[in-house]
């Protein structure tokens, strides 16, 4: 396996031979023990662009072993030193951001502008957690009985298994790795098989930044279920942090329950976007475009149901259709592209099926709605109006560039409809009336609310969902790092 790390001189050129993409175990780059590989496909062209190892149970055991060997040293590393290494990870990611963005665009297909945004967001988790690493504090108090002091110390939870999806190959990994390392934990990352290259490129950066061997291990596999079960069965593993679909999250919660392992779950969403009559139309349209079209709709926070009040409905649909129809669709790596391809052909077929079902039930296609011929997994930006409430896409994540618009009349009505889902990740509200905005925000069942804006993610804010969108929070002051620590209480008499 090629040992060379990323060449900063190459800047935005991505030469796959120029960086290691073997399994990253104990600081070494190795092939899978069975020699098998997984092909990585560019969704814009359908071309195979690289291959990565297909890890076995034996490789997973080696990764846990490496994380266990590195654990005592990393846990004892001074917080200031850990902080400086994390800060260096941030700096190197920023230095290499153009190359990383190009890599993300190639393996995920997202438009380069979205990939650049992702790299900046992903790097920020290192900067933020470099600052958090030196601010871990405990508690000290007197017991109510007066007999002793209560001392509470926060300690690293132990070895963590981290599992991430393909839609944000850099950010979903750094949102876990950075706080875990700040807390003093060692980790095994299993990125999605569709987008493994970014994870390996980042592993080389961590190593260059001074993260010791074994502190971050990365492995790719086509058998995530058996490998995860085996890792969770190792008593040294104490944490599972998962980002992905609610279905897989449920399976993993059951698996973790067998060993009573702490779980953080960032799962699926079905975000409502609510536009009241008194909203500023341009602000609402700008916000809707970001909430719907960041990553071509392949985001857990993507607006999945757009509820628009009757008085502003027609102007909103007209404005949204104009903006969606004008988007440049193309290869992710093309700088002009505003909407790249979907991740797989299967994803395109699912979106096509949802749109067909909605139109059969009476939804009107304002733009898009037809799968194009030719290479690449493309689906056009699509607006549907007059969408009835009982369509499948109102219950399921569309995960694509389709905006279904539903009409509503009253505040009570829209709150009930917004909450009529098993999910509760993000929601968007547009109104000029701040009192109404805050009232509706408090009643909508979601972990995150964007008020008069289309973007909610921020490393400095707690990210996460309620209901079946997950358990726990990532990012934010204390929240993200707390997921990787455990309280130890000492009853002290002196
Ligand atoms: P997915 O659940 O299919 O896969 C996620 C990860 O889990 C991948 O690495 C996959 O290989 C792995 N996996 C699959 N089956 C597994 C098993 N049995 N055991 C262990 N690991 C397994 O999800 P996806 O299609 O990659 O990503 C899209 C989903 O992720 C959407 O539902 C989206 O909403 C969600 N998501 C949530 C957030 C959030 O922060 N809440 C962020 C991004 C994506």
């Amino acid at each position: 396996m090629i040992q060379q790390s990323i060449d900063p001189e190459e800047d935005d050129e991505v030469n796959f031979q120029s960086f290691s993409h073997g399994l990253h175990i104990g600081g070494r780059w190795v092939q899978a023990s069975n020699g098998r590989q997984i092909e990585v496909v560019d969704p814009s062209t359908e071309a195979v662009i690289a291959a990565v190892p297909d890890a076995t149970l034996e490789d997973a055991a080696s990764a846990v072993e490496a994380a266990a060997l590195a654990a005592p040293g990393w846990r004892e590393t001074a917080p200031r030193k850990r902080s400086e290494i994390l800060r260096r990870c941030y700096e190197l990611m920023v230095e290499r951001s153009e190359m990383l963005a190009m890599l993300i665009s190639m393996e995920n297909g997202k438009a380069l502008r979205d990939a650049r945004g992702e790299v900046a967001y992903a790097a920020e988790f290192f900067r933020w957690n470099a600052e958090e690493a030196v601010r871990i504090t405990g508690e000290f108090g007197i017991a109510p009985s007066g007999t002793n002091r209560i001392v509470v110390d926060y300690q690293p939870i132990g070895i963590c298994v981290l599992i991430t999806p393909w839609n944000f190959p850099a950010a979903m990994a750094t949102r876990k790795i950075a706080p875990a390392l700040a807390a003093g934990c060692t980790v095994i990352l299993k990125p999605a098989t569709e987008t493994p290259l970014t994870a390996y490129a980042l592993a080389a950066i961590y190593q260059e930044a001074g993260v010791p061997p074994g502190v971050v291990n990365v492995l790719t596999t086509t058998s995530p279920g058996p490998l995860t079960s085996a890792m969770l069965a190792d008593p040294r593993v104490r944490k599972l942090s998962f980002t992905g679909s609610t279905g897989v999250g449920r399976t993993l919660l059951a698996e973790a329950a067998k060993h009573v392992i702490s779980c953080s779950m960032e799962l699926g969403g079905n975000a409502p976007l609510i536009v009241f009559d008194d909203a500023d139309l341009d602000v609402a349209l700008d916000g809707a475009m970001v909430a719907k079209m960041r990553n071509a709709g392949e985001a857990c926070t993507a607006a999945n149901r757009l509820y628009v009040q009757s008085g502003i409905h027609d102007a909103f649909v007209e404005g949204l259709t104009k903006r969606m129809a004008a988007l440049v669709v193309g290869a992710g790596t093309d700088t002009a592209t505003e909407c790249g391809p979907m991740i797989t052909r299967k994803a395109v077929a699912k979106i096509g099926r949802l749109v067909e079902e909605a139109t059969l039930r009476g939804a009107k296609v304002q733009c898009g709605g037809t799968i194009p011929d030719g290479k690449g997994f493309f689906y056009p930006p699509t607006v549907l109006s007059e969408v009835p409430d009982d369509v499948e896409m109102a219950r399921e994540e569309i995960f694509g560039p389709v905006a279904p618009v539903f009409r509503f009349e009253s505040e009570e009505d829209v709150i009930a409809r917004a909450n009529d889902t098993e999910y509760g990740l993000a929601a968007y509200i547009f109104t000029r009336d701040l009192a109404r905005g805050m009232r509706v925000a408090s009643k909508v069942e979601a972990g995150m609310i964007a008020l008069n804006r289309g973007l909610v993610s921020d490393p400095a804010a707690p990210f996460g969902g309620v209901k079946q969108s997950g358990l726990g929070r990532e990012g934010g002051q204390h929240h993200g790092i707390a997921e990787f620590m455990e309280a130890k209480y000492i009853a002290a008499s002196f």
Side-chain angles (χ1 to χ4, degrees):
M1 184 47 53
I2 301 125
Q3 303 285 324
Q4 194 187 333
S5 68
I6 298 160
D7 180 355
E9 296 304 312
E10 285 186 345
D11 204 23
D12 58 349
E13 286 291 305
V14 177
N15 169 7
F16 295 108
Q17 301 311 311
S18 73
F19 67 93
S20 306
H21 39 278
L23 304 175
H24 188 58
I25 298 176
R28 296 188 319 119
W29 300 95
V30 294
Q31 285 294 1
S33 55
N34 61 8
R36 292 216 186 102
Q37 294 210 310
I38 310 167
E39 289 186 338
V40 185
V41 172
D42 177 348
S44 302
T45 61
E46 301 184 38
V48 174
I49 51 173
V52 297
D54 188 358
T56 62
L57 288 172
E58 201 183 327
D59 301 319
S62 302
V64 174
E65 191 60 35
L69 276 174
W74 184 246
R75 184 190 175 103
E76 296 308 322
T77 300
R80 175 62 72 205
K81 176 83 181 150
R82 289 207 295 264
S83 164
E84 281 165 358
I85 293 172
L86 294 183
R87 172 78 197 188
R88 188 71 191 127
C89 290
Y90 159 74
E91 288 165 357
L92 285 176
M93 280 188 72
V94 172
E95 254 174 48
R96 314 279 162 80
S97 56
E98 204 48 27
M99 186 281 298
L100 288 168
M102 190 61 85
L103 187 57
I104 292 172
S105 285
M106 288 187 88
E107 65 174 352
N108 168 282
K110 70 175 68 178
L112 200 50
R113 63 175 194 173
D114 283 332
R116 288 177 177 141
E118 181 183 346
V119 175
Y121 176 54
E124 197 59 31
F125 284 103
F126 278 107
R127 175 155 70 169
W128 180 259
N129 284 288
E131 290 154 0
E132 289 298 300
V134 287
R135 313 247 183 275
I136 299 167
T137 55
E139 292 137 41
F140 185 87
I142 188 159
S145 61
T147 53
N148 60 283
R149 294 294 197 277
I150 293 171
V151 181
V152 185
D153 188 17
Y154 287 91
Q155 301 193 322
I157 194 165
I159 298 175
C160 309
V161 170
L162 315 176
I163 302 178
T164 51
W166 48 263
N167 66 338
F168 287 92
M172 296 304 95
T174 62
R175 201 164 75 177
K176 298 182 190 305
I177 293 171
L181 266 53
C185 298
T186 58
V187 307
I188 300 128
L189 171 72
K190 195 219 76 64
T193 40
E194 294 86 348
T195 56
L197 299 170
T198 306
Y200 286 127
L202 286 173
I205 284 181
Y206 311 147
Q207 196 169 33
E208 191 179 337
V211 172
V215 171
V216 178
N217 305 279
V218 184
L219 49 82
T220 34
T221 178
T222 52
S223 310
L227 259 70
T228 306
S229 300
M231 289 193 282
L232 298 185
D234 188 312
R236 294 171 296 181
V237 171
R238 297 310 316 144
K239 177 84 197 181
L240 170 64
S241 179
F242 171 75
T243 299
S245 60
T246 296
V248 173
R250 282 188 199 113
T251 304
L252 289 174
L253 279 167
E255 196 59 36
K258 289 184 194 162
H259 313 287
V260 193
I261 285 177
S262 163
C263 288
S264 298
M265 293 277 147
E266 297 289 348
L267 308 178
N270 181 3
L273 182 144
I274 303 169
V275 183
F276 285 99
D277 280 345
D278 66 356
D280 179 312
L281 181 61
D282 282 330
V283 169
L285 286 169
D286 287 349
M289 288 301 289
V290 175
K292 180 72 250 179
M293 292 306 293
R294 192 166 65 110
N295 264 7
E298 292 180 317
C300 53
T301 50
N304 208 56
R305 299 166 290 152
L306 286 72
Y307 294 104
V308 185
Q309 206 166 13
S310 281
I312 198 171
H313 177 275
D314 292 356
F316 182 88
V317 170
E318 192 191 330
L320 186 69
T321 304
K322 222 181 251 171
R323 291 174 190 229
M324 289 283 275
L327 288 175
V328 178
V329 179
T333 49
D334 187 334
T335 46
T337 296
E338 293 170 302
C339 176
M342 303 294 96
I343 190 71
T344 54
R345 187 164 299 289
K346 198 171 150 211
V348 174
K350 179 196 162 184
I351 298 163
R353 182 178 55 74
L354 290 175
V355 170
E356 199 183 321
E357 194 258 359
T359 50
L360 284 174
R361 283 174 181 267
K364 295 195 170 35
V365 179
Q366 298 292 337
C367 66
T370 309
I371 300 173
D373 294 332
K375 284 276 181 204
F377 309 134
F378 291 96
Y379 196 91
T382 297
V383 176
L384 302 178
S385 63
E386 311 301 340
V387 186
D389 271 3
D390 61 353
V391 290
E392 241 184 279
M393 65 171 67
R395 292 189 301 278
E396 259 194 56
E397 284 185 292
I398 302 169
F399 241 60
V402 177
V405 182
F406 305 78
R407 194 188 287 268
F408 78 90
E409 303 295 337
S410 74
E411 188 178 310
E412 296 70 38
D413 169 44
V414 78
I415 290 170
R417 287 161 73 189
N419 289 340
D420 187 17
T421 167
E422 66 180 13
Y423 295 107
L425 190 62
Y428 304 84
I429 301 164
F430 292 87
T431 174
R432 282 196 180 99
D433 178 346
L434 185 59
R436 171 190 286 191
M438 295 304 284
R439 185 170 65 237
V440 176
S442 75
K443 290 184 181 165
V444 169
E445 295 163 355
M448 299 173 287
I449 310 275
L451 186 51
N452 292 320
R453 50 183 285 113
L455 186 66
V456 70
S457 308
D458 187 330
F463 187 106
V466 299
K467 294 158 78 176
Q468 306 224 7
S469 286
L471 299 168
R473 295 291 181 269
E474 293 189 323
Q477 294 187 346
H478 319 304
H479 299 88
I481 202 166
E483 303 274 327
F484 295 97
M485 294 191 300
E486 254 175 343
K488 176 171 277 180
Y489 150 56
I490 303 162
S493 294
F494 48 85

